[in-house]
Amino acid sequence: MNERDTEHMLAELKEKENYIATDDFKSADLILINTCSVREKPVAKLFSELGIFNKKKKEGAKIGVCGCTASHLGREIIKRAPYVSFVLGARNISKITEVLHKPKAVEIDINYDESEFAFKDFRSSKYKAYINISIGCDKSCTFCIVPKTRGDEISIPMNLIVDEASRAVSLGAKEIFLLGQNVNNYARRFSGNHEKTNFTKLLQNLSKIDGLERIRFTSPHPFHMDDEFIQEFAKNPKICKSMHMPLQSGSTKVLQDMKRGYTKEWFLNRVQKLREMVPDVSISTDIIVAFAGESEKDFEDTIDVMNQVKFEQVFSFKYSPRPQTEAEFFPDVIDSDTASARLTRLQELHIKQLDEKNASKLGNIYEVYFEELYNDGFVSGRSDNNIVIKVKGSEELLGEFKDVKIISIGRTVLTGEIIK
Ligand code: SAH
């Protein structure tokens, strides 16, 4: 989502102010830092990076702080780093060309509605197009700061999404990647009046686009994984068979404390349904360990879910208390040694499961859509079910589909050879 926000800002700057992007910050006239605030660490990193940029930047160059940390710290950023030229919240990115000309501007209104803003077009990849389908988040997960930095959830009208996807496809993208905090809660609320619809209908309409081969999305919410959604996922050939299912915890008690709205049993039931209907589906997840009040038994429930599901990919984090969240003042904080030990145990288990799964892939054949050129004579892409596969090759492969046989196994990237 931050990557797409960055593309939107670059598009506005390019079209309206003639900026071009550079990787060399020492020669830049404008340095933008697009921030996350989901955990505490990136926030601390912001201030150390700002110091470095300020010291080494070109004379007169502006520095702008954008994104979720901008939303939540606001003017405080300029107080702590007075050389910052402007602060632009995650829900205000369409104002990028305005704040550029307003010294010390702070635009962080989380009620600002950008759901119908016609951003200019810029994409860092020609082959895959990120497309926002909603802004904000309506959930009230007790650990999460996102609703406070991105505001209420508003869906982007379906016709705008379909138009944007068609444009991207006409420019060469064969894959689109839909983005939202709870994509399968699409159409919960629009800014104006719109006819009743849902995520399944959006997927059906997008799949009618000629030349569009693959649709991915993130994140769906386990609570909204009803049968209709899983059936559409299973039977629509354009939808890639990889599902992100953010578990957060395997303990029903912790899930309740987190206000996630589902139980361990519901989560496992959805996984079972999905695997029955789509046997080769790959499932990824997010897990928070050591949430306030998480007992050893609760943590064992998470391990139990890991053992039952054997996720293809796990993004795991130690709980990080965040300001403006309900859990910020929850008692029974877990000490940091216990938290680290739990995280290590979970990650080691995942690596063991991953190695076992990967070993069985030797000799398998996957259809790969190539999208990235490495500088060592390899090109990489993904299988429909999201396995990253590289082959020897060059630019001509980019944007192409090929059948690839796996010849060697790595932990995150498999190596293959093209057979067709
Ligand atoms: N809308 C998504 C979450 C986006 S944030 C969802 O509901 O699943 C991405 C991930 O960051 C979350 O899934 C969660 O695992 C992690 N996260 C969020 N807040 C956190 C916190 N306070 N401490 C640690 N991890 C957190």
Side-chain angles (χ1 to χ4, degrees):
M1 191 164 279
N2 275 359
E3 281 180 34
R4 184 61 184 145
D5 288 348
T6 301
E7 289 180 348
H8 276 150
M9 290 192 283
L10 292 179
E12 292 297 296
L13 287 167
K14 182 165 166 267
E15 293 286 333
K16 297 182 180 162
E17 299 280 339
N18 285 324
Y19 276 84
I20 52 166
T22 171
D23 288 334
D24 173 24
F25 76 84
K26 289 183 190 148
S27 69
D29 299 301
L30 171 64
I31 298 170
L32 294 179
I33 309 186
N34 199 7
T35 58
C36 176
S37 63
V38 161
R39 284 167 294 277
E40 197 179 359
K41 219 168 165 186
V43 179
K45 201 170 152 208
L46 166 69
F47 288 99
S48 66
E49 294 216 334
L50 274 175
I52 297 171
F53 285 135
N54 184 46
K55 220 184 263 165
K56 301 201 175 157
K57 76 181 169 72
K58 190 166 96 177
E59 176 85 37
K62 292 178 183 165
I63 301 182
V65 177
C66 317
C68 284
T69 302
S71 307
H72 111 251
L73 291 181
R75 191 161 299 280
E76 170 82 24
I77 295 175
I78 297 185
K79 277 197 199 131
R80 283 175 66 179
Y83 47 82
V84 165
S85 320
F86 59 85
V87 174
L88 187 66
R91 179 100 167 209
N92 300 259
I93 53 174
S94 61
K95 298 180 195 158
I96 179 72
T97 53
E98 268 173 52
V99 291
L100 204 55
H101 304 292
K102 280 199 237 159
K104 307 295 168 198
V106 177
E107 293 284 352
I108 54 169
D109 179 6
I110 60 163
N111 295 311
Y112 189 65
D113 183 358
E114 295 190 311
S115 65
E116 297 189 17
F117 187 83
F119 283 102
K120 300 288 178 192
D121 251 342
F122 174 90
R123 299 192 179 279
S124 36
S125 165
K126 209 172 111 185
Y127 311 104
K128 174 170 75 184
Y130 287 127
I131 298 178
N132 287 345
I133 68 164
S134 61
I135 60 174
C137 181
D138 258 18
K139 299 285 173 201
S140 35
C141 304
T142 54
F143 56 80
C144 191
I145 195 174
V146 171
K148 294 290 187 313
T149 60
R150 290 187 175 269
D152 290 346
E153 193 165 316
I154 305 183
S155 296
I156 294 170
M158 185 156 342
N159 62 319
L160 296 186
I161 299 170
V162 174
D163 284 354
E164 188 179 342
S166 307
R167 259 197 331 274
V169 171
S170 71
L171 293 171
K174 292 175 186 158
E175 178 175 315
I176 58 170
F177 203 129
L178 308 176
L179 301 171
Q181 291 296 334
N182 304 292
V183 287
N184 50 344
N185 197 21
Y186 176 74
R188 172 178 171 79
R189 180 191 300 118
F190 290 101
S191 154
N193 284 332
H194 287 270
E195 93 192 49
K196 206 170 158 16
T197 182
N198 63 23
F199 188 52
T200 302
K201 295 206 181 76
L202 175 65
L203 291 171
Q204 287 166 348
N205 281 344
L206 286 167
S207 12
K208 288 182 199 146
I209 298 174
D210 272 345
L212 174 63
E213 307 281 347
R214 286 185 170 186
I215 302 174
R216 298 188 191 275
F217 50 80
T218 204
S219 311
H221 194 293
F223 175 79
H224 298 290
M225 291 194 177
D226 54 25
D227 287 356
E228 183 197 342
F229 166 67
I230 294 181
Q231 267 151 22
E232 179 64 23
F233 178 84
K235 73 165 203 276
N236 185 331
K238 289 196 178 178
I239 299 179
C240 291
K241 301 304 178 244
S242 100
M243 185 79 90
H244 189 61
M245 294 183 67
L247 169 68
Q248 312 305 359
S249 168
S251 151
T252 296
K253 185 218 161 247
V254 174
L255 288 170
Q256 257 164 10
D257 292 347
M258 290 176 165
K259 296 206 175 142
R260 288 292 288 176
Y262 52 87
T263 58
K264 176 185 183 186
E265 288 68 32
W266 167 258
F267 188 91
L268 288 172
N269 170 285
R270 296 294 87 187
V271 169
Q272 193 189 359
K273 174 108 193 164
L274 202 57
R275 288 238 163 100
E276 257 166 41
M277 298 195 69
V278 190
D280 65 343
V281 65
S282 71
I283 304 180
S284 57
T285 196
D286 293 345
I287 295 177
I288 299 176
V289 302
F291 184 62
E294 183 190 77
S295 66
E296 273 306 321
K297 187 175 156 292
D298 292 323
F299 180 63
E300 288 305 327
D301 273 329
T302 300
I303 295 290
D304 183 44
V305 175
M306 293 269 299
N307 280 324
Q308 292 198 49
V309 178
K310 298 198 168 65
F311 296 100
E312 268 69 23
Q313 205 175 5
V314 177
F315 301 93
S316 50
F317 318 99
K318 265 195 267 184
Y319 170 58
S320 166
R322 306 304 295 125
Q324 302 173 48
T325 61
E326 216 182 310
E328 185 187 2
F329 302 111
F330 277 9
D332 304 327
V333 174
I334 308 299
D335 68 87
S336 117
D337 287 350
T338 307
S340 299
R342 287 182 189 169
L343 187 67
T344 304
R345 186 170 153 214
L346 187 138
Q347 290 179 339
E348 283 175 358
L349 173 61
H350 171 60
I351 285 174
K352 186 170 147 270
Q353 293 176 339
L354 193 64
D355 286 348
E356 279 166 17
K357 279 194 179 209
N358 279 346
S360 70
K361 292 185 179 129
L362 200 64
N364 284 4
I365 294 167
Y366 297 96
E367 189 185 37
V368 177
Y369 179 52
F370 288 100
E371 51 179 307
E372 199 182 340
L373 189 64
Y374 294 168
N375 46 18
D376 59 354
F378 281 88
V379 183
S380 85
R382 285 169 194 266
S383 67
D384 179 285
N385 62 355
N386 215 23
I387 306 167
V388 181
I389 297 170
K390 64 173 188 176
V391 302
K392 275 218 168 74
S394 55
E395 271 176 330
E396 299 89 76
L397 281 175
L398 295 174
E400 296 292 319
F401 286 91
K402 298 280 179 203
D403 285 342
V404 174
K405 183 173 177 180
I406 302 304
I407 53 170
S408 98
I409 303 290
R411 192 162 278 155
T412 50
V413 184
L414 309 186
T415 307
E417 61 189 14
I418 293 173
I419 54 167
K420 193 156 78 76

